[in-house]
């Protein structure tokens, strides 16, 4: 990214499901060990399912966003507040395209999710990071997230571990 590059954060609209699909499948294929979900499952979903994801993510308890650098899709993230506990927010699907890493894209997306969670009056924001994923863990730690609990398998039967991190917002 050159010094004249512009990073923008946008909330997905239902009409932008194709962009969401492209980014999410790229994330799962490019970094399979960073997610509990698998590309092999998501790639089989019909277009109507992808459209429903951007429609559902437009409600008040979700904030499905994408980063753009000079109008090109560069990453995505999703903030979610569970209906069962309106004071706890979560970060899911956090991913920055390798072409745009270490250039502030992840920080801008994380700042957006943190701001959204605060606006929703959440007391805390929780996420999971793959153990050993130093750049992601550093990003989260710089934002104030702290490790909580013990490492656990990223998905059933996996030897890859993930760690929960939490940011206290109140």
């Amino acid at each position: 990214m050159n010094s004249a590059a512009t990073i923008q954060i946008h909330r997905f609209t239902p009409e932008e499901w194709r962009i969401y699909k492209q980014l999410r499948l790229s994330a799962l294929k490019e970094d399979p060990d960073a997610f509990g979900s698998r590309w092999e499952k998501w790639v089989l979903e019909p277009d109507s399912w992808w459209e429903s994801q951007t429609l559902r993510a437009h409600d008040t308890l979700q904030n499905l966003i994408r980063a753009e650098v000079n109008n090109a899709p560069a990453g995505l993230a999703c903030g979610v507040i569970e209906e069962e506990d309106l004071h706890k927010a979560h970060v899911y699907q956090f991913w920055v395209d390798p072409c745009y890493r270490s250039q502030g894209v992840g920080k801008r997306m994380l700042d957006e999710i943190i701001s959204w969670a605060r606006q929703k009056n959440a007391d805390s924001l929780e996420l999971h990071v793959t153990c050993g994923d130093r750049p992601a863990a550093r990003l989260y730690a710089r934002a104030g997230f702290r490790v909580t609990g013990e490492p656990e398998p990223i998905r059933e039967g996996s030897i890859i571990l993930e760690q929960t991190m939490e940011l206290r917002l109140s």
Side-chain angles (χ1 to χ4, degrees):
M1 184 168 77
N2 64 46
S3 60
T6 303
I7 301 170
Q8 294 184 328
I9 306 299
H10 300 280
R11 188 170 189 183
F12 277 99
T13 65
E15 298 78 25
E16 295 170 324
W17 65 267
R18 287 178 185 87
I19 299 168
Y20 171 63
K21 178 181 179 180
Q22 178 258 321
L23 280 169
R24 183 63 175 145
L25 289 177
S26 293
L28 292 169
K29 190 156 196 137
E30 182 77 30
D31 293 300
D33 295 337
F35 303 101
S37 300
R38 305 295 287 171
W39 179 87
E40 294 83 2
K41 176 186 177 291
W42 284 54
V43 74
L44 298 175
E45 296 294 349
D47 288 347
S48 59
W49 182 86
W50 291 97
E51 188 173 11
S52 75
Q53 296 305 295
T54 56
L55 183 62
R56 186 177 61 122
H58 213 267
D59 75 26
T60 60
L61 296 180
Q62 292 193 29
N63 189 23
L64 182 61
I65 61 170
R66 74 179 179 284
E68 291 183 353
V69 175
N70 295 335
N71 298 317
L76 79 154
C78 187
V80 176
I81 296 176
E82 303 296 337
E83 289 184 26
E84 306 81 49
D85 186 354
L86 296 176
H87 296 286
K88 190 170 203 171
H90 302 269
V91 179
Y92 297 114
Q93 302 184 25
F94 197 95
W95 181 76
V96 177
D97 184 300
C99 297
Y100 301 105
R101 291 180 185 167
S102 299
Q103 299 175 32
V105 174
K107 181 182 181 326
R108 288 284 307 276
M109 288 195 310
L110 192 57
D111 288 348
E112 174 65 27
I113 295 293
I114 292 169
S115 176
W116 169 82
R118 283 193 169 115
Q119 289 172 3
K120 294 296 180 182
N121 297 313
D123 294 328
S124 65
L125 184 58
E126 184 179 282
L127 56 79
H128 300 273
V129 62
T130 304
C131 293
D133 188 347
R134 290 182 190 91
R138 280 195 306 268
L139 171 68
Y140 303 142
R142 281 193 305 269
F145 284 81
R146 299 292 170 248
V147 171
T148 60
E150 297 297 319
E152 298 179 359
I154 195 166
R155 65 185 77 80
E156 190 175 320
S158 179
I159 61 169
I160 298 167
L161 300 177
E162 68 180 3
Q163 183 76 54
T164 302
M165 296 183 81
E166 181 182 51
L167 174 65
R168 300 297 305 161
L169 299 171
S170 56

